[in-house]
Amino acid sequence: MQILKFIQQPWHWSVSGLLIGLTVPVLLILGNKAFGISSSLRHICAACFPADISFFKYDWKKESWNLFFVAGIALGGFIAGHYLQDGSDIQVAAATQARLAGYGVHDYTALLPPEIFSWSNLFTWKGLVFFVLGGFLVGFGTRYAGGCTSGHSIMGLSNLQWPSLVATCCFMAGGFFSANLLIPYLFKWLH
């Protein structure tokens, strides 16, 4: 029971940062494998939809380890979200709570605010913008950048790849722009 309480307590962010950082050398040592999440969608499409599309014509079985890795992330998230929570509300800084209250977000009982992320919002304008349009832009941006934040910012930067530095700078600039200018405007427009 002591181990469960130890796991359920809030951990410092550096623990996960260290573990994610150690993933890169482990993957390189175990077979010169590249860490990235978005490539798994390509592998799934190549495996499930064997069409005559050159982008999906490659040996996806050679990269099947990546599918197990992503499945492990999903399974771990499910286990942590359903069985390892301590039952307390999410702790949010007072300044952030004040800013989120202006957007109509007041419920901090879950990791994702139900005022935004819920099935009832799926078929509203807010859901269309945040889920459909946002999802499309993330997918398009990932493909356009040649990878996602984990592939570029974790794996690419550790390998000193110039395109990954450029992509990471663009990810950060886009995140700052979205969080400080775009999201407040969207919430005012959709509220």
Side-chain angles (χ1 to χ4, degrees):
M1 197 57 159
Q2 291 288 53
I3 294 174
L4 186 60
K5 285 189 183 265
F6 176 73
I7 293 172
Q8 287 178 335
Q9 72 179 345
W11 289 30
H12 194 268
W13 58 265
S14 62
V15 174
S16 59
L18 179 66
L19 292 174
I20 291 170
L22 289 175
T23 303
V24 173
V26 167
L27 287 174
L28 290 173
I29 291 168
L30 290 179
N32 202 25
K33 299 188 181 308
F35 177 72
I37 303 300
S38 62
S39 57
S40 62
L41 181 59
R42 181 181 182 205
H43 304 327
I44 291 170
C45 290
C48 296
F49 308 107
D52 193 23
I53 301 171
S54 61
F55 185 69
F56 296 126
K57 285 188 170 184
Y58 67 97
D59 186 13
W60 63 268
K61 292 177 184 174
K62 191 172 86 173
E63 301 295 328
S64 62
W65 71 270
N66 192 293
L67 299 176
F68 288 102
F69 187 82
V70 171
I73 291 172
L75 180 63
F78 177 81
I79 291 170
H82 285 82
Y83 302 110
L84 299 178
Q85 290 187 15
D86 66 352
S88 61
D89 286 352
I90 306 302
Q91 296 177 4
V92 180
T96 305
Q97 285 185 15
R99 188 169 189 177
L100 290 174
Y103 304 150
V105 176
H106 304 285
D107 187 354
Y108 303 108
T109 57
L111 288 174
L112 298 174
E115 291 97 347
I116 304 169
F117 301 99
S118 66
W119 289 106
S120 61
N121 276 341
L122 187 60
F123 298 107
T124 64
W125 282 109
K126 189 185 294 187
L128 179 71
V129 169
F130 284 106
F131 297 125
V132 178
L133 181 62
F136 171 78
L137 290 174
V138 167
F140 175 79
T142 299
R143 189 68 246 142
Y144 186 73
C148 60
T149 52
S150 59
H152 281 300
S153 302
I154 297 170
M155 189 74 189
L157 288 181
S158 65
N159 286 323
L160 303 176
Q161 294 180 8
W162 173 252
S164 292
L165 177 63
V166 172
T168 301
C169 290
C170 291
F171 295 151
M172 294 300 292
F176 289 135
F177 171 78
S178 296
N180 294 297
L181 299 174
L182 185 61
I183 296 295
Y185 172 77
L186 286 175
F187 269 108
K188 287 177 185 172
W189 181 60
L190 296 170
H191 200 257

